């Protein structure tokens, strides 16, 4: 055996990278709010719930002085607390005020817009059918904007087929911001067929970032043999990206980062698509490419996609920080 033999050549792999991908304006803003709160108030700053659903982001902010808790009761008196990008039920800021806690609301403005619309509909005494996934923090936050009984959660087309509202002529619908565009359209169509006078936003409340990332995956999917989505399993918009790819007929896998990728999953793959959910930082995409380069001769190309220019203002308390 020749101990000086050259390593075998790496097989080629074309990597097509979706655009847009990764951070959206709401996630950018939420992370910035925690960073600026730490600068302004000093560490520790408490954050109720993961500020965005990404382990890498959470670990980075924890290293800077953020402490993540699930409930307000875990926040000691006298320290500032930030509410996550997903939004919170009204009772949470109310309880924070009662306790005299300084709080900063990192709820994405596009989620806040749905909250305000829900309140407006309740003022008009309309019953709301809210399309979303039970248990997701955004859904808990939105349901918590209105009194019990004012809103009914619709998760599936089957729910839309069977819901029996007391006053079918006085309905409106709203949606979670990070849903599947196609699933939501099917649910809305069912509601509109059953309740022709139902009112709702034009299209739905799915945010620009969610729809742009899904559109990019639809464009990418037919061009690749398999597709990797970088994102957390509890990140709604990331899970939807993997679903969109699979429905387009391409094998897809959601991974939190490169360390979760098994070389065997790529067997037979010549062209690999890559995208990242709205809470996944670009550094994780670069980490994935670096890992792929240890196995393959990678040639990388980014697809052209929608240009995103959205920027959200910071809360007033931090604008001068
Ligand atoms: Fe806001 Fe959409 Fe980003 Fe969620 S995914 S934070 S709703 S822009």
């Amino acid at each position: 055996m020749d101990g000086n033999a050259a390593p075998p050549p790496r097989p080629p792999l074309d990597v097509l990278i979706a655009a847009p991908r990764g951070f959206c304006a709401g996630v950018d803003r939420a992370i910035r709010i925690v960073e600026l709160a730490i600068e302004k108030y000093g560490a520790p700053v408490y954050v109720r719930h993961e500020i965005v659903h990404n382990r890498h982001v959470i670990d980075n902010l924890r290293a800077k002085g953020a402490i993540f808790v699930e409930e307000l009761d875990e926040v000691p008196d006298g320290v500032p607390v930030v509410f996550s990008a997903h939004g919170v039920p009204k009772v949470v800021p109310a309880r924070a005020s009662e306790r005299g806690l300084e709080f900063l609301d990192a709820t994405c403005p596009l989620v806040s817009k749905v909250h305000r619309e829900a309140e407006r509909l309740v003022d008009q005494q309309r019953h709301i059918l809210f399309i979303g996934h039970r248990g997701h923090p955004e859904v808990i936050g939105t349901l918590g904007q209105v009194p019990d009984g004012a809103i009914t959660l619709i998760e599936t087309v089957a729910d839309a087929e069977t819901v029996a509202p007391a006053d079918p002529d006085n309905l409106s619908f709203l949606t979670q911001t990070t849903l599947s565009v196609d699933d939501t359209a099917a649910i809305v169509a069912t509601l509109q067929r059953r309740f022709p006078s139902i009112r709702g936003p034009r299209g739905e409340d799915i945010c620009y970032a969610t729809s742009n990332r899904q559109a990019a995956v639809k464009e990418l999917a037919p061009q690749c043999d398999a597709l990797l989505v970088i994102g957390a399993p509890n990140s709604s918009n990331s899970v939807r990206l993997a679903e969109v790819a699979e429905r387009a007929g391409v094998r897809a896998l959601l991974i939190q980062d490169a360390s979760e990728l098994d070389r065997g999953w790529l067997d037979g793959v010549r062209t690999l698509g890559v995208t990242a959910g709205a809470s996944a930082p670009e550094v994780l995409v670069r980490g994935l490419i670096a890992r792929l380069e240890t196995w393959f001769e990678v040639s990388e190309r980014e697809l052209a996609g929608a240009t995103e220019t959205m920027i959200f203002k910071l809360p007033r308390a931090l604008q001068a920080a």
Side-chain angles (χ1 to χ4, degrees):
M1 197 169 102
D2 181 356
N4 294 323
R10 288 168 296 163
L13 181 71
D14 290 334
V15 176
L16 297 182
I17 305 184
R21 65 180 173 279
F23 276 8
C24 60
V27 163
D28 247 345
R29 173 179 180 269
I31 294 169
R32 195 73 195 120
I33 287 173
V34 179
E35 290 171 341
L36 288 174
I38 294 169
E39 273 176 37
K40 177 169 174 173
Y41 302 102
V45 162
Y46 278 69
V47 183
R48 185 189 175 279
H49 193 67
E50 293 185 345
I51 186 76
V52 301
H53 287 154
N54 187 274
R55 189 172 64 191
H56 182 89
V57 170
I58 300 302
D59 289 346
N60 266 346
L61 292 174
R62 201 176 271 134
K64 291 178 180 171
I67 295 180
F68 292 89
V69 295
E70 277 310 305
E71 291 303 336
L72 208 56
D73 299 349
E74 301 167 64
V75 180
D77 288 336
V79 293
V81 58
V82 180
F83 302 145
S84 80
H86 315 95
V88 289
K90 266 188 173 171
V91 66
V92 174
R95 200 170 296 148
S97 296
E98 276 164 27
R99 286 184 52 197
L101 292 176
E102 180 115 27
F103 63 85
L104 294 156
D105 189 359
T107 303
C108 176
L110 299 181
V111 174
S112 300
K113 183 169 157 248
V114 179
H115 290 182
R116 286 196 302 273
E117 184 62 10
E119 286 180 300
R120 201 176 63 80
L121 292 169
V122 168
D123 287 347
Q124 295 172 356
Q125 309 203 327
R126 298 186 72 79
H127 186 75
I128 303 166
L129 300 180
F130 184 69
I131 304 168
H133 296 294
R134 187 180 304 280
H136 188 277
E138 180 187 332
V139 173
I140 295 170
T142 302
L143 298 188
Q145 301 305 308
V146 298
D148 284 351
I151 196 163
T152 303
L153 183 61
I154 303 290
E155 293 191 90
T156 60
V157 169
D159 289 348
E161 286 288 5
T162 53
V163 66
D167 184 357
D169 294 323
N170 192 30
L171 295 175
S172 289
F173 74 86
L174 297 172
T175 82
Q176 189 180 337
T177 57
T178 51
L179 298 176
S180 151
V181 171
D182 296 338
D183 288 352
T184 307
I187 294 173
V188 169
T190 304
L191 293 175
Q192 287 171 332
R193 173 177 52 74
R194 289 196 61 215
F195 310 111
S197 66
I198 194 168
R199 295 188 203 156
R202 190 176 308 183
E204 67 298 287
D205 300 303
I206 295 173
C207 75
Y208 79 98
T210 296
S211 23
N212 285 349
R213 280 151 191 69
Q214 288 178 21
V217 164
K218 281 184 189 167
E219 192 191 327
L220 190 56
Q223 304 178 51
C224 46
D225 307 313
L227 187 138
L228 287 171
V229 180
I230 300 178
N234 59 345
S235 158
S236 174
N237 81 88
S238 303
V239 174
R240 303 288 87 77
L241 291 177
E243 284 174 4
V244 165
E246 297 219 308
R247 283 184 195 172
V250 68
R251 194 159 55 93
L253 182 68
L254 178 66
I255 53 171
Q256 305 218 49
D257 58 37
S259 70
E260 291 186 357
L261 180 61
D262 183 42
R263 167 70 180 81
W265 193 83
L266 296 165
D267 283 351
V269 175
R270 179 68 182 74
T271 304
L272 176 70
V274 172
T275 189
S279 41
E282 183 65 11
V283 65
L284 299 180
V285 175
R286 298 323 309 165
L288 173 63
I289 303 295
R291 184 162 169 93
L292 292 170
E293 280 171 338
T294 65
W295 297 325
F296 300 95
E297 196 65 52
V298 170
S299 95
E300 175 186 337
R301 184 161 63 86
E302 179 175 283
L303 266 67
T307 306
E308 294 182 343
T309 54
M310 188 82 80
I311 297 175
F312 297 130
K313 273 193 199 158
L314 290 165
R316 198 162 302 160
L318 294 176
Q319 280 178 11

